[in-house]
Amino acid sequence: MKKRAQVTIFIIIAILIVASAVLIFSFRDKIKIFMLNSDPVYLFVQNCVEETGKDAIYFITQNGGYLFPPTLSTSEGTPYYFYNNKDYTPTKDRIGEEISDYIENSISYCTNEFTNFPDLNITEEEIKAKAKIENEKIILDVVYPLIINKGGSTRKLENFNNIIIQAEIGRIYNSIKEIIQEQIDKEGICLSCISELIDEEGLTIDMVNTEEAIIFTVKDKYSLIKNVPIEWKFANGY
Amino acid sequence: MDIKTKRILAFIFLTFFIIGTAEANIIATIGMEGLNMISPEAGKIIDTIICAQNPIVCLSGKVMGIVQSKLMETLAETSPKIYKAVSTYNEIKSYIEQGASILEELKINEEGNIEGGVISFGEEENSIKKLFIDSNTEDIAISNADYDFETQKITLKEGGYLKVKVKDDEGKIQELNYENIAEGYLKLNESTGLVEEAEIVTSGDSTYKFGEYESLSVKEGTHILYQDGKITVSGKENNFMYGNLNISSFEESVNLFGDKIICAECSINEIKLKGLGKETRGILEQTDKGYLIKYGEATYKQNLLTVDTKNEEVLIADLNADLSDYQGSWLKQTSENLEIKSSESGSINLEILEEHDIFNTDAKDKLNIKLTKGDGLNIEKRADEGLIPKVIYASSTNEGASTEIENDHLKFSFKDGEFYMSPPKSVTRDDLFGKYQSVALELESDSAKEASKIRVNSYNQFIMLGKDNNELVSYNKYDLPVSSKIKDNELQTIEQLREKYPEMLFTTPSEKETMPPYMFYLTDIYIQENPEALDEMKGWHYDLGTSASVVYFNTFIGLEIVQTDSPNNFEEIRKFTSPLQVFVHEHEHIKDNIIIREENKIINSKQDSLQKKYDELGENCANRLSQSKTKTLLKDFFKNINDDKITPTILKSLEEKKDYSEELMTAYSYLVKTPDLKSKSNDFDRIIQLSTGLPSGYSLDYFLNYREISTTYREQPIEQRKLLVQSGNKLISETYTKLTQLAFDSGKMKTDEFVAIMGNGFCKKGDCSDKICKEYKLLCCEDNPSSPNC
């Protein structure tokens, strides 16, 4: 009886080992992330990507989708989306590239030469970021090669993928695009068209006139970045 | 037939031949001495028939007295023409016997009519109706007047008059008096006996009637010309009644043409009418529904209507007029409501003037309305509810129908049931002359298609509200409330501000004190939201004008508050969204100075002063400029700009100097002021912000003067500071966390603001007493001795 019980235990253990092996093989990527998630440097960089990504989203939307103003901008640097009855709204891909550029340029101000890790020697290589704008979120994939050295042992971190920032800028973008399309071939600013569109989307618009243009700021009080509503600014020249 | 009979027949034939061939010729004259026949033959007849029978009235072919009827009968049988002449003489002789005199020989034609000459009637009233054989009048009486038969003009002398009695439509006899005439003439129609032409100057207040027109009541010294069916009234005191119309003319004369009144500039009852330009005259026609403005500018109850073409004619409707079947354009205003409706093919041009009862306007308000092709507006006053007027757009389905409302520099239009807005121009200093204020109102459409409404305030701002009254679109540069309440739109002048806060001194840059009214409103809002400002600013003799002037925005706070230049100018260096930020900035300076004053009372303190804390923070930020990463970014930036005036200097400074903030400041000013490079200043801002932790290129000035750090921090909107505290950039987040803590510790920042910036979970205690005095302890620990940080 005792012997039979022992055999049963061994069989169960064997089954568990095999099952674990199958599970590990099947979910190896997630397990890898799980392991990375416990890495303080990885967590630190991931946090920096996220925080800088949020800064980027706020900054880029405030600047009309650009890191640096394009040629067709007001003297204050607000890009024209509508000028001489034509639509100059940047594409979503272009805005994604601008967000990526911001992250690439600014993440080092967050990682701050890894001074938070005085016992590690961390070497940075060139960072490459890619931001994909979806309706309700931004997905960031960042290649940030880091060589971490501690007491002669070296390891490498490189990919910080699938970092998701919940921000409905894709949806706001779609509304802006429609607003611009509504202005084409109209005599003046069609307030009715704008209000109908933004009412459906739960947005609001601030308009301010300058000597050159009307500056529009589209706000989504439900879409927050660091608890601050997103404000998307652009200029229309009539 | 004997010879004698032949001679008589030949004489009679010849006489008739001569008289017959001289048709319409003058056959006799009448003078004071009597009737004198011109032809000897007629004289012989007079001799034969009258003188032979009655030598008393006749002598040598001349009639000198009234010829009796018996002789007249004989004369009528012998010569009807001579009979007519003698009849006329008899009439004239009767006038003479009543005091009339012949001033100029009267010329009698063969019809017996007087064709020339002048008779002067004396004081005694004479009926002259017989002189107007075909007249329908009951009587025509004259006194103290000369009548010129050739021109048919009656000239009244002093005290003279003309009375014409006529039957009116109901058969009643009406007496038309023409008296009180200092000079001039009246001309009666031969057939009607009514005055058909006149030119008179009145010697007293009088009422006259000309032709079929309404009676005209004028004052002494009025000049009236009635000619070709048109009355022209002028005079030094040019106020008169025309029927039920009280008319005053301000220039030249007024023409009355039946129901039409034409003038260069006049008032007609409640309506002021004038032409368009110097050369034209306004035209108004009185109708059974009101006053139809046919041409010119008409002002009614402070509604200025401009009519240039027939399509723009507009009826100012009587309050009780039924307009349901009226096809033209019209306007009607009661004490509570103004309705305007354009005709299907026409338009209305309306300007709302000052002191308009419905819109509650003043002299600086600008509101113009144009309606076309059937569109209309219905404006409700709503003052009883304390609300601004509501304008309901009544849309038309006519093709091309539209409504345009120009409310100062805001221009709205309604087309096909939808609201449009013309891009407004920027307000400049020049706009502060004449009319530069908007009129507070709410705009709604009666169209089911448009559920939104627009609310405009008195400060050139508007919001668009959705069907649930949620704010959708805002045109609100200075972030002022856009309220539907009258009281929130009333503050328009510096006098009102002075009255509200008598303890403060308000000044403006110019003597005329022309400033956009939003500045007064904004000042009021700031003081209301920061009541401590009144106490802090009062009696504080620190003149902040100099420090404020660096932002091109001459705001004086302290003893003097609110001085502003053009609202656009103050955006030059820092990107202010509201002048309120300047108030906050300057008020923060006062708070800092109060702290310095209080700190000075504590001698030998071991703790650092607040300013020293700011100085340390500023130095830390400034030192980051010398980091190699920052220098590399700036080097790339200026190389990319490649401008001869700044690039070489900056590149040299970057190589050679540790502290090059002054050169950077100069370069930044150059970027801002150079149109082609202005947009690059944003990139520069960003580099400095990322590198130093302070927000913009202007932060360079902090490094030169750390006294500006606290003030420029505080002027930034709370939301922006909140974001900067949470920034992924550690320099920025640390700097802003410290600035927030310093403001809180020093008592300048209230707990609400502190929590809003630092986040809800930051403080463990509701009053944040656990977080106070973390950075600044000197006065803080005096005021909060129980703080765990002291």
Coordinates of all heavy atoms in Angstrom, one line a residue, chain B residues 247-280:
Chain B
I247 N -42.8 116.9 -37.2 CA -41.6 116.9 -38.0 C -40.7 118.0 -37.6 O -41.1 119.2 -37.4 CB -42.0 117.0 -39.5 CG1 -42.9 115.8 -39.9 CG2 -40.7 117.0 -40.3 CD1 -43.4 115.9 -41.3
S248 N -39.4 117.6 -37.4 CA -38.4 118.7 -37.1 C -37.3 118.4 -38.1 O -36.8 117.3 -38.3 CB -37.8 118.5 -35.7 OG -38.8 118.7 -34.8
S249 N -36.8 119.5 -38.6 CA -35.7 119.4 -39.6 C -34.4 120.0 -39.0 O -34.5 121.0 -38.3 CB -36.0 120.1 -40.9 OG -34.9 120.1 -41.7
F250 N -33.3 119.3 -39.2 CA -32.1 119.7 -38.6 C -31.2 120.4 -39.6 O -30.3 121.1 -39.3 CB -31.3 118.5 -38.0 CG -32.1 117.7 -37.1 CD1 -32.6 116.5 -37.4 CD2 -32.5 118.3 -35.9 CE1 -33.4 115.8 -36.5 CE2 -33.3 117.6 -35.0 CZ -33.8 116.3 -35.3
E251 N -31.5 120.2 -40.9 CA -30.8 120.9 -41.9 C -31.7 121.2 -43.1 O -32.6 120.4 -43.4 CB -29.7 119.9 -42.5 CG -28.4 120.0 -41.6 CD -27.3 119.1 -42.3 OE1 -27.4 118.8 -43.5 OE2 -26.4 118.8 -41.5
E252 N -31.5 122.2 -43.8 CA -32.2 122.6 -45.0 C -33.7 122.5 -44.8 O -34.2 123.0 -43.8 CB -31.7 121.7 -46.2 CG -30.2 121.9 -46.5 CD -29.8 121.0 -47.6 OE1 -30.7 120.4 -48.3 OE2 -28.6 120.8 -47.8
S253 N -34.3 121.9 -45.7 CA -35.8 121.9 -45.8 C -36.4 120.5 -45.7 O -35.6 119.5 -45.9 CB -36.2 122.6 -47.0 OG -35.6 121.9 -48.1
V254 N -37.7 120.4 -45.5 CA -38.4 119.2 -45.6 C -39.4 119.2 -46.8 O -40.1 120.2 -46.9 CB -39.2 118.9 -44.3 CG1 -39.9 117.6 -44.4 CG2 -38.2 118.9 -43.1
N255 N -39.4 118.2 -47.6 CA -40.3 118.1 -48.7 C -41.5 117.2 -48.3 O -41.2 116.1 -47.8 CB -39.7 117.6 -50.0 CG -38.7 118.6 -50.5 OD1 -38.8 119.8 -50.2 ND2 -37.7 118.1 -51.2
L256 N -42.7 117.6 -48.6 CA -43.9 116.8 -48.3 C -44.5 116.5 -49.6 O -44.9 117.5 -50.4 CB -44.8 117.5 -47.3 CG -44.2 118.1 -46.1 CD1 -45.1 119.0 -45.3 CD2 -43.7 117.0 -45.2
F257 N -44.7 115.3 -49.9 CA -45.3 114.9 -51.2 C -46.4 113.9 -50.9 O -46.1 112.7 -50.9 CB -44.1 114.3 -52.0 CG -44.4 114.3 -53.5 CD1 -43.9 115.4 -54.2 CD2 -45.0 113.3 -54.1 CE1 -44.2 115.5 -55.6 CE2 -45.3 113.4 -55.5 CZ -44.8 114.5 -56.2
G258 N -47.5 114.4 -50.6 CA -48.6 113.5 -50.2 C -48.2 112.8 -48.9 O -47.9 113.4 -47.9
D259 N -48.1 111.5 -48.9 CA -47.8 110.7 -47.7 C -46.3 110.6 -47.6 O -45.8 110.0 -46.6 CB -48.4 109.3 -47.8 CG -49.9 109.3 -47.8 OD1 -50.4 110.1 -47.1 OD2 -50.5 108.5 -48.5
K260 N -45.6 111.1 -48.5 CA -44.1 111.0 -48.5 C -43.5 112.2 -47.8 O -43.9 113.4 -48.1 CB -43.5 110.8 -49.9 CG -43.7 109.5 -50.4 CD -43.0 109.4 -51.8 CE -43.5 108.1 -52.5 NZ -43.6 108.3 -53.9
I261 N -42.5 112.0 -47.0 CA -41.7 113.0 -46.4 C -40.3 112.9 -46.8 O -39.7 111.8 -46.7 CB -41.8 113.0 -44.8 CG1 -43.3 113.3 -44.4 CG2 -40.9 114.0 -44.2 CD1 -44.0 112.2 -43.8
I262 N -39.7 113.9 -47.3 CA -38.3 113.8 -47.9 C -37.5 114.9 -47.2 O -37.9 116.1 -47.2 CB -38.4 114.1 -49.4 CG1 -39.3 113.0 -50.1 CG2 -37.0 114.0 -50.0 CD1 -39.7 113.4 -51.5
C263 N -36.4 114.5 -46.7 CA -35.5 115.5 -46.0 C -34.1 115.1 -46.0 O -33.8 113.9 -46.1 CB -36.0 115.8 -44.6 SG -35.7 114.4 -43.5
A264 N -33.2 116.0 -45.9 CA -31.8 115.7 -45.7 C -31.5 115.1 -44.3 O -30.8 114.2 -44.2 CB -30.9 116.9 -46.0
E265 N -32.1 115.8 -43.3 CA -32.0 115.3 -42.0 C -33.2 115.8 -41.2 O -33.3 117.1 -41.0 CB -30.7 115.7 -41.3 CG -30.5 115.0 -40.0 CD -29.1 115.3 -39.4 OE1 -28.3 116.0 -40.0 OE2 -28.8 114.8 -38.3
C266 N -34.1 115.0 -40.7 CA -35.2 115.5 -40.0 C -35.7 114.4 -39.0 O -35.3 113.2 -39.2 CB -36.3 115.9 -40.9 SG -37.0 114.6 -41.9
S267 N -36.6 114.8 -38.1 CA -37.2 113.7 -37.3 C -38.7 113.8 -37.6 O -39.3 114.8 -37.8 CB -36.9 113.9 -35.8 OG -37.6 115.1 -35.4
I268 N -39.3 112.6 -37.6 CA -40.7 112.4 -37.9 C -41.3 111.6 -36.8 O -41.0 110.4 -36.8 CB -40.9 111.8 -39.3 CG1 -40.2 112.6 -40.4 CG2 -42.4 111.6 -39.6 CD1 -39.8 111.8 -41.6
N269 N -42.1 112.2 -35.9 CA -42.5 111.5 -34.7 C -41.3 110.8 -34.1 O -40.3 111.5 -33.8 CB -43.6 110.5 -35.0 CG -44.9 111.2 -35.3 OD1 -45.0 112.5 -35.1 ND2 -46.0 110.5 -35.6
E270 N -41.3 109.5 -33.9 CA -40.1 108.8 -33.2 C -39.0 108.5 -34.2 O -38.0 107.9 -33.7 CB -40.6 107.5 -32.6 CG -41.5 107.7 -31.4 CD -41.9 106.3 -30.9 OE1 -42.9 105.8 -31.5 OE2 -41.3 105.8 -30.0
I271 N -39.1 108.9 -35.4 CA -38.1 108.5 -36.4 C -37.2 109.6 -36.8 O -37.7 110.7 -37.1 CB -38.9 107.9 -37.6 CG1 -39.7 106.7 -37.2 CG2 -37.9 107.5 -38.7 CD1 -40.6 106.2 -38.3
K272 N -36.0 109.3 -36.8 CA -35.0 110.3 -37.4 C -34.6 109.8 -38.8 O -34.2 108.7 -38.9 CB -33.8 110.4 -36.5 CG -34.0 111.3 -35.3 CD -32.7 111.4 -34.5 CE -33.0 112.1 -33.2 NZ -31.9 111.9 -32.2
L273 N -34.8 110.7 -39.7 CA -34.5 110.3 -41.1 C -33.4 111.2 -41.7 O -33.4 112.4 -41.5 CB -35.8 110.5 -41.9 CG -35.8 110.2 -43.4 CD1 -35.7 108.7 -43.6 CD2 -37.1 110.7 -44.1
K274 N -32.6 110.6 -42.5 CA -31.6 111.4 -43.2 C -31.2 110.7 -44.5 O -31.4 109.5 -44.6 CB -30.4 111.7 -42.3 CG -29.6 110.5 -41.9 CD -28.5 110.9 -40.9 CE -27.3 111.5 -41.5 NZ -26.1 111.6 -40.6
G275 N -30.5 111.4 -45.4 CA -30.1 110.8 -46.6 C -28.8 110.0 -46.4 O -28.3 110.0 -45.3
L276 N -28.4 109.4 -47.5 CA -27.1 108.7 -47.5 C -26.1 109.6 -48.1 O -26.1 109.8 -49.3 CB -27.2 107.4 -48.2 CG -28.3 106.4 -47.8 CD1 -28.4 105.2 -48.7 CD2 -28.0 105.9 -46.4
G277 N -25.3 110.1 -47.3 CA -24.3 111.1 -47.8 C -24.8 112.5 -48.0 O -26.0 112.7 -47.7
K278 N -24.0 113.4 -48.4 CA -24.4 114.8 -48.4 C -25.4 115.1 -49.5 O -26.2 116.0 -49.3 CB -23.2 115.7 -48.5 CG -22.3 115.8 -47.3 CD -21.2 116.7 -47.5 CE -20.4 116.8 -46.2 NZ -19.1 117.6 -46.4
E279 N -25.3 114.4 -50.6 CA -26.1 114.8 -51.7 C -27.5 114.2 -51.8 O -28.3 114.6 -52.6 CB -25.4 114.4 -53.0 CG -24.0 115.0 -53.1 CD -24.0 116.5 -53.2 OE1 -24.9 117.1 -53.8 OE2 -23.1 117.2 -52.5
T280 N -27.8 113.3 -50.9 CA -29.1 112.6 -51.0 C -30.0 113.0 -49.8 O -29.5 113.4 -48.8 CB -28.9 111.1 -51.1 OG1 -28.3 110.7 -49.9 CG2 -28.1 110.7 -52.2

